[in-house]
Amino acid sequence: MEEQQLMVLTEDEVRQKAKDILNFNDSKDAFSGVGQLTSFNQLGKKFKSNPWKGDSHKPDGWYLPKNKNVPCLLLECKSSDKNLEDTAEDEIKRNMAIALKRYSNVMGICYNGHDVLIYRNEELGSKDFIEAQLAKDLQNKSYYLHVFTDKPVNVQKIYKLTKRINDDLHFNFGIRNLYDRMIFTASALVAVRYGVILHGDESYDALQASIQSKLNKSLEPDTKQNDKIKTIVDVYSGIKTNFDPGAEAIKTFIDNINKISQSVNSSHWHGEDVMAIFFNEFNRYKGKSENGQVFTPQHIANFMYRLINIKPEDSVFDGTCGSGTFLTNSMSNMITAVGGPDTQEASEIKKHRLYGIEFDKQIYALACANMMIHKDGRTNIHLGDAMDDDSAKWIKDINYDGQGNLNKYHITKVLMNPPYERKYKPIVILNNVLKNMPKGTDIALLLPDHKLEKESKTQVRKLLKENKLTRIIKLPDETFHEGVSVSIFIFKHGEATNAKDGIFTCQIKEDGLETVKNQGRQDIKHRWPKIEDFWVKTIRRCDVNADKTCQWITPDLKNMENLSFPVPEKPFEISNEDFMKTVLDYTMFQEGIDSKKLQEKLMENVMYNSNVTDNGNSISINIKKEDK
């Protein structure tokens, strides 16, 4: 059976890798470096007064600001075959306690070349430590320093603001169409992101003109590359209100837009924190679009991103991108990994490493607006049908030059959630968009559990001939509020699915999310990150011993069967009541008694020809005995 092998790095190799990523080098503001031989005592001598005099403990890496009010970072490294919780936790906590003698804020970073474990003091001056819910891959030191200075996004607040906007536009502006409300809101967010100052005392005409003017100006440089992005202006300008909303409604709308914009501009911004909430709130009233789309929950989009191990140097593609959840989530994660939105790498990611196709004009406009919140990236979304030759050629041109050589920014990862109904031909879409992918491209798809067994055998056979199905992960039944039971299917392009290699399968029975009234399903108890970490590790390594649902299956490629997670049959159980009923039914059958007539007779006698006696703890029903 196939297993994904992770490269084993020595502790020295891990330490050097960590130094490069964290950028632990001396600067005018801090003493920084990595090594095995430098003790706290030696590091303390760099300061006027040695805070760690005589301490012989040796950290693997350090970032020691000269200003003791700036956070300190410590590094503990292990070889990549070591479990961090078992081997690094005690050491990093001990070293953090030492560092706290000088600094009020200390963060400990444990790293083995693949996994990251982060600890920080919970309160100023405290020696209590908690695992921080941060990025899953090692980041530049500036990312960790911001944890202590930047205020996190208030997710609950964003949900409430989005609901208020939705209700305001529906009832007070008279914008009845759901997507019109979404586009109106997204366009306003884009305008504010690009510098428009919206005042609460302007008229509706002035408000609409301000937003449209900024959209035109911000799109102007990019229309030279892709004139289709003018669609967002066309769609926005076509939105009509049924009546004048009035000054109070306009003021409420602008206030809420400005509050959401503050969260968008936070360095803690992630797709799941703002825009995904925005889209989920509006789509909660619609569910499934007219084109059969089921919108991807943000935590699942991030889970799939991690499952196929997307890195900043990858180029990500979504052939049915909808409002852009996979693309914006990938963008956020990739930019975080290179050190933030102000880096040169971030600009490259936005311009060259995100590609999508969307057929529906309104949803395409939403995807463009969603990407524009990031001030770039929207020129790589194609308005077209993922099943036609034009889209196939567009993909081919991304990947290959005129001589058939791979382009620099060719697609390496595919994340998709194609429409589910057969009439929209999801497997045909997949075959058309995947046929021009480079060999070795990793693919993660969301499909209904038994989709591959129910679709056209010809199309499924073609899909499996050109893409190797390696893993199937059944998601919790509650994942999609539309009631669709869905699994993640992971493929490797350019190889054929082989029955003898088998397929690793597992079932995630719960994701820890709970339904919040008027706000959809949320991770209010913060259970998902731990669940996600467990399953990412299990699925990447195909660890059949990690959970009782994990198993290898052998696909039947001749009949196109056994291509889904094998849900175990419920064990046969029978109660005493069931047993007695069966015995009684059989006895009456032997005696020639009509059970239906007997039931009617018994009911009639109990109700109308019986004496009922209350005995305290029981009730007696006495029926007069008859000949029959």
Side-chain angles (χ1 to χ4, degrees):
M1 298 297 182
E2 177 187 348
E3 284 202 32
Q4 182 169 324
Q5 297 295 325
L6 296 176
M7 182 183 296
V8 177
L9 302 175
T10 66
E11 189 171 317
D12 286 339
E13 290 172 326
V14 170
R15 193 178 294 107
Q16 184 58 48
K17 182 178 179 181
K19 179 182 180 182
D20 294 339
I21 296 173
L22 289 162
N23 191 22
F24 268 10
N25 296 299
D26 275 341
S27 67
K28 62 183 180 63
D29 298 317
F31 305 111
S32 187
V34 300
Q36 282 184 300
L37 304 177
T38 307
S39 68
F40 274 103
N41 180 53
Q42 292 170 289
L43 292 170
K45 292 178 181 179
K46 296 177 180 290
F47 302 100
K48 291 182 179 180
S49 176
N50 188 345
W52 308 305
K53 189 175 181 178
D55 197 308
S56 60
H57 293 105
K58 300 170 183 176
D60 283 333
W62 53 89
Y63 176 81
L64 306 175
K66 296 174 183 178
N67 182 347
K68 64 181 180 181
N69 294 317
V70 176
C72 157
L73 305 180
L74 295 177
L75 175 69
E76 184 64 36
C77 295
K78 298 296 177 185
S79 59
S80 58
D81 58 347
K82 297 290 180 61
N83 181 289
L84 292 176
E85 291 183 357
D86 295 338
T87 60
E89 186 172 11
D90 290 342
E91 291 177 69
I92 197 67
K93 287 184 177 181
R94 178 201 64 206
N95 290 341
M96 289 173 70
I98 296 169
L100 279 166
K101 293 177 181 179
R102 170 177 168 83
Y103 298 97
S104 56
N105 284 312
V106 177
M107 177 167 285
I109 304 169
C110 302
Y111 188 53
N112 66 2
H114 301 301
D115 302 322
V116 181
L117 199 60
I118 304 294
Y119 292 93
R120 58 174 173 159
N121 50 299
E122 190 171 10
E123 297 175 351
L124 297 182
S126 169
K127 294 184 180 180
D128 296 325
F129 309 101
I130 62 169
E131 183 180 354
Q133 299 299 337
L134 301 173
K136 305 302 180 183
D137 296 315
L138 191 65
Q139 309 297 316
N140 184 279
K141 66 176 181 292
S142 60
Y143 170 82
Y144 299 110
L145 293 173
H146 272 104
V147 171
F148 291 100
T149 58
D150 200 8
K151 189 176 181 180
V153 172
N154 186 330
V155 176
Q156 295 295 322
K157 180 181 177 182
I158 298 300
Y159 266 108
K160 291 177 181 178
L161 291 172
T162 306
K163 185 178 187 304
R164 290 173 190 168
I165 289 172
N166 196 8
D167 291 342
D168 194 24
L169 293 178
H170 183 251
F171 297 109
N172 298 323
F173 282 65
I175 302 177
R176 304 302 186 202
N177 182 278
L178 177 71
Y179 285 145
D180 282 352
R181 297 199 299 273
M182 293 174 71
I183 292 166
F184 193 92
T185 308
S187 298
L189 284 170
V190 169
V192 173
R193 187 78 165 100
Y194 278 78
V196 165
I197 299 175
L198 298 176
H199 301 285
D201 56 353
E202 54 193 324
S203 67
Y204 174 75
D205 289 341
L207 170 66
Q208 191 173 40
S210 295
I211 294 173
Q212 188 161 334
S213 174
K214 179 53 69 172
L215 287 175
N216 280 317
K217 289 179 180 178
S218 61
L219 288 168
E220 189 175 349
D222 297 283
T223 52
K224 297 174 184 177
Q225 301 176 44
N226 184 354
D227 60 4
K228 291 179 182 177
I229 61 174
K230 292 187 300 184
T231 301
I232 185 173
V233 179
D234 295 338
V235 173
Y236 172 77
S237 61
I239 296 173
K240 305 296 181 185
T241 59
N242 290 329
F243 41 77
D244 188 333
E248 188 62 33
I250 292 174
K251 183 178 184 303
T252 300
F253 173 78
I254 291 174
D255 286 347
N256 289 327
I257 286 293
N258 287 331
K259 288 175 182 176
I260 288 182
S261 296
Q262 292 171 6
S263 295
V264 173
N265 290 322
S266 166
S267 65
H268 277 270
W269 185 91
H270 284 284
E272 70 274 14
D273 289 334
V274 182
M275 286 306 286
I277 296 172
F278 163 67
F279 286 115
N280 286 338
E281 163 61 25
F282 281 84
N283 277 298
R284 189 167 58 82
Y285 295 94
K286 193 174 188 71
K288 202 181 299 182
S289 80
E290 286 84 353
N291 291 325
Q293 292 153 321
V294 176
F295 291 85
T296 310
Q298 190 66 34
H299 71 297
I300 299 301
N302 194 68
F303 181 46
M304 293 169 66
Y305 175 95
R306 294 185 64 199
L307 281 180
I308 57 175
N309 200 27
I310 296 176
K311 300 292 184 183
E313 58 270 23
D314 285 310
S315 293
V316 180
F317 170 82
D318 183 355
T320 51
C321 71
S323 56
T325 299
F326 281 129
L327 298 179
T328 54
N329 180 75
S330 297
M331 180 189 287
S332 295
N333 284 324
M334 294 162 81
I335 288 175
T336 296
V338 297
D342 298 325
T343 61
Q344 183 178 347
E345 293 88 346
S347 178
E348 180 181 89
I349 289 166
K350 290 185 281 189
K351 290 181 179 179
H352 302 297
R353 297 201 177 278
L354 300 156
Y355 301 93
I357 298 175
E358 177 51 45
F359 174 73
D360 186 284
K361 187 176 180 180
Q362 283 185 310
I363 298 176
Y364 170 85
L366 284 173
C368 288
N370 201 0
M371 301 296 279
M372 286 175 70
I373 295 295
H374 305 259
K375 290 193 173 181
D376 217 327
R378 70 272 185 190
T379 53
N380 293 326
I381 300 178
H382 173 69
L383 176 60
D385 188 344
M387 289 188 288
D388 65 21
D389 292 338
D390 184 46
S391 293
K393 182 181 182 303
W394 185 77
I395 296 168
K396 186 175 182 180
D397 290 343
I398 292 170
N399 292 319
Y400 300 98
D401 63 16
Q403 286 72 46
N405 302 310
L406 280 175
N407 291 325
K408 178 180 179 180
Y409 298 108
H410 64 272
I411 296 165
T412 56
K413 308 285 185 178
V414 175
L415 296 169
M416 285 182 64
N417 182 11
Y420 292 163
E421 285 90 340
R422 180 175 292 182
K423 65 180 178 178
Y424 299 115
K425 302 179 180 179
I427 308 303
V428 175
I429 290 174
L430 292 175
N431 281 326
N432 192 55
V433 301
L434 296 178
K435 66 183 179 183
N436 288 316
M437 291 296 167
K439 185 176 181 180
T441 301
D442 292 311
I443 304 160
L445 309 174
L446 278 171
L447 292 169
D449 290 341
H450 296 280
K451 196 66 174 176
L452 296 183
E453 296 152 325
K454 294 179 179 179
E455 288 294 307
S456 161
K457 284 185 169 54
T458 301
Q459 289 294 334
V460 174
R461 190 170 283 112
K462 175 178 173 61
L463 179 70
L464 297 181
K465 184 179 180 180
E466 299 175 1
N467 303 279
K468 185 174 184 178
L469 179 56
T470 61
R471 295 162 177 82
I472 301 173
I473 304 100
K474 179 172 171 53
L475 297 175
D477 292 337
E478 305 81 17
T479 301
F480 292 91
H481 65 79
E482 294 86 356
V484 185
S485 184
V486 171
S487 293
I488 299 170
F489 295 76
I490 297 180
F491 296 83
K492 176 76 75 173
H493 182 69
E495 302 178 43
T497 302
N498 193 327
K500 69 178 183 180
D501 289 335
I503 302 169
F504 177 80
T505 67
C506 59
Q507 180 181 15
I508 303 175
K509 292 186 176 181
E510 60 178 44
D511 56 13
L513 275 65
E514 299 178 25
T515 300
V516 178
K517 187 177 180 181
N518 296 326
Q519 296 181 14
R521 300 183 71 242
Q522 298 181 36
D523 188 18
I524 56 178
K525 295 180 180 176
H526 308 293
R527 296 173 59 197
W528 172 247
K530 186 174 181 179
I531 296 172
E532 181 185 73
D533 286 345
F534 169 81
W535 283 111
V536 167
K537 186 179 294 186
T538 296
I539 294 163
R540 280 189 187 177
R541 298 177 178 178
C542 299
D543 186 354
V544 293
N545 298 315
D547 186 83
K548 63 181 180 181
T549 68
C550 299
Q551 57 185 300
W552 289 90
I553 63 171
T554 302
D556 181 350
L557 300 177
K558 180 179 179 181
N559 299 307
M560 293 294 109
E561 296 177 351
N562 205 25
L563 296 170
S564 57
F565 174 79
V567 179
E569 295 183 5
K570 292 183 179 180
F572 177 75
E573 295 179 351
I574 184 169
S575 65
N576 289 333
E577 291 79 6
D578 290 335
F579 178 75
M580 293 304 298
K581 184 178 182 303
T582 303
V583 171
L584 184 58
D585 286 345
Y586 181 69
T587 302
M588 287 191 291
F589 169 75
Q590 286 184 316
E591 296 293 331
I593 298 173
D594 188 325
S595 61
K596 185 176 181 180
K597 288 184 178 180
L598 177 61
Q599 289 177 25
E600 291 174 352
K601 190 68 174 176
L602 283 171
M603 182 61 68
E604 180 182 335
N605 277 278
V606 167
M607 292 182 67
Y608 306 114
N609 193 25
S610 63
N611 295 319
V612 179
T613 305
D614 187 347
N615 300 318
N617 294 327
S618 63
I619 294 176
S620 299
I621 301 176
N622 299 306
I623 302 174
K624 183 180 178 181
K625 184 176 180 181
E626 297 183 358
D627 293 337
K628 294 184 180 181

